[in-house]
Amino acid sequence: MIPAPRRLAGPRRAAAAPPLALVLAAALLAGCGGGGAGKASQTAARVNKAEITVHQINFVLQQQRGITPEQADAAGAQVLQRLVDQELAVQQAGELRLDRDPRVLQMLEAARREVLARAYAERIGEAATPPTADDVQAYYDANPALFARRRVYSLQELAIEATPEQVQQLRAKVGELRSVDAIVAYLRGASIRFTASQAVRPAEQLPLASVQAFAAMQPGQAVLNATPRGAQLVIVADARDQPVGPEQARPAIEQYLLNQRRRDALTQDLARLRAAAAIEYVGKFADTAPAAAAAPDGTASAAPAPAAAGTLDPSDISKGLGIKR
């Protein structure tokens, strides 16, 4: 049982607010009969012979962000109804013996492996050392395009369907064609299909490997990248300065550096495990097994190589530092 917060005895003092999870648990326990004398019940509902507990509700609520203590009762009631429906479905699945279906067994095993692998990654990440104030300041100083000289870009993007030969021809033309209208006219004249869109993106929402390249670009300049279906053309229509000071950037930098250290710790530990494990690829996979990539320190690396500077991978958009203004 998760106990409700106890009042401190002695002189009146300003107390720190209890964690939200504890407040939610206490509210749910009170709603389940914990307010009277005797031991609070952990059962929130019974569905046939199965029980749904307060801990199950609390676990779901902890995965949801933005719930305030005042919303705990209403949110808990909604979660309970979903858990009741889920339990009814589980019981019916058992009646239909779906837990013996080969496909269901594979899904259950895949889910178990995913949960265990994520738990291992989180455990390894817990050992990462938080960045110091000097680390944060060093990153701030080393990346003026993200902070001190940060810009917000108005971008025009063209997703182009083209052959490799057409992409090469377009690459040669981009330097000559100084406007979107001219590029669009060229594409239409060559019967090249494309779709156009516009976006406003601050520097931190660009791929980090491309921030410096965009910082050097002037309105009207463009970058062209090959894609599996052709090319992506991104044109800087406008760019306005919007710097971010050290204090405003500090929380985002701290989180970014900590996440980076957690990823590095996981990569290194996986490399250690691979080096110590007996891994054998069998059958057709023996011929296609990738060679272990060597990291700069000589260890195997499980991390993908970063994109070359100046590239703009659509899948990387909005994966920046997450600074908000």
Side-chain angles (χ1 to χ4, degrees):
M1 178 180 72
I2 303 177
R6 293 180 296 178
R7 182 175 299 173
L8 294 174
R12 182 176 298 177
R13 67 184 70 178
L20 178 57
L22 189 60
V23 174
L24 292 172
L28 290 171
L29 286 174
C32 296
K39 190 175 182 180
S41 171
Q42 298 297 306
T43 302
R46 293 184 177 85
V47 182
N48 296 322
K49 295 182 180 181
E51 289 187 350
I52 297 175
T53 68
V54 171
H55 296 303
Q56 290 174 270
I57 301 174
N58 195 36
F59 177 80
V60 175
L61 289 174
Q62 289 178 24
Q63 315 308 310
Q64 301 179 3
R65 297 184 179 182
I67 298 179
T68 66
E70 293 75 17
Q71 298 170 325
D73 287 340
Q78 292 178 357
V79 169
L80 177 57
Q81 294 308 312
R82 294 203 300 268
L83 290 175
V84 168
D85 290 340
Q86 183 186 66
E87 179 59 34
L88 289 169
V90 168
Q91 292 180 17
Q92 189 60 27
E95 291 289 333
L96 298 173
R97 297 188 176 182
L98 295 180
D99 55 340
R100 301 181 185 182
D101 183 283
R103 189 174 68 90
V104 174
L105 289 173
Q106 286 182 335
M107 293 170 63
L108 289 172
E109 176 60 19
R112 186 186 72 88
R113 290 167 60 87
E114 176 67 23
V115 169
L116 288 174
R118 190 183 302 118
Y120 152 75
E122 292 175 354
R123 176 65 60 87
I124 295 298
E126 289 173 359
T129 305
T132 64
D134 289 342
D135 295 331
V136 173
Q137 186 63 46
Y139 189 87
Y140 180 92
D141 294 338
N143 294 274
L146 285 171
F147 307 112
R149 295 199 294 272
R150 173 179 179 265
R151 296 200 296 176
V152 176
Y153 301 91
S154 296
L155 303 176
Q156 295 175 317
E157 303 176 7
L158 300 179
I160 302 166
E161 298 181 21
T163 64
E165 292 76 15
Q166 289 174 322
V167 172
Q168 284 299 108
Q169 295 171 3
L170 180 59
R171 192 179 298 278
K173 283 285 186 181
V174 165
E176 303 174 9
L177 305 174
R178 293 292 182 177
S179 70
V180 177
D181 291 340
I183 294 174
V184 167
Y186 170 80
L187 293 174
R188 287 175 175 166
S191 299
I192 298 175
R193 298 179 60 183
F194 66 92
T195 57
S197 62
Q198 295 181 343
V200 176
R201 293 195 175 102
E204 68 275 6
Q205 289 187 4
L206 299 172
L208 294 182
S210 301
V211 171
Q212 296 298 334
F214 273 87
M217 294 173 64
Q218 299 300 320
Q221 291 185 306
V223 58
L224 179 72
N225 295 297
T227 65
R229 299 185 61 183
Q232 181 197 39
L233 182 66
V234 180
I235 304 163
V236 177
D238 187 32
R240 64 182 185 276
D241 294 333
Q242 199 171 92
V244 173
E247 282 305 307
Q248 185 179 358
R250 179 178 53 79
I253 296 176
E254 287 178 343
Q255 189 61 54
Y256 172 78
L257 292 178
L258 181 58
N259 289 343
Q260 187 177 56
R261 293 181 180 187
R262 287 170 174 168
R263 288 192 298 269
D264 291 344
L266 178 60
T267 298
Q268 293 172 9
D269 202 60
L270 284 173
R272 176 187 65 81
L273 294 175
R274 276 182 169 267
I279 302 175
E280 178 185 3
Y281 295 95
V282 181
K284 65 179 181 180
F285 300 103
D287 297 330
T288 59
D297 59 359
T299 61
S301 174
T311 62
L312 183 63
D313 185 347
S315 67
D316 286 337
I317 294 299
S318 301
K319 291 184 180 178
L321 290 173
I323 298 172
K324 296 181 179 179
R325 290 183 65 89

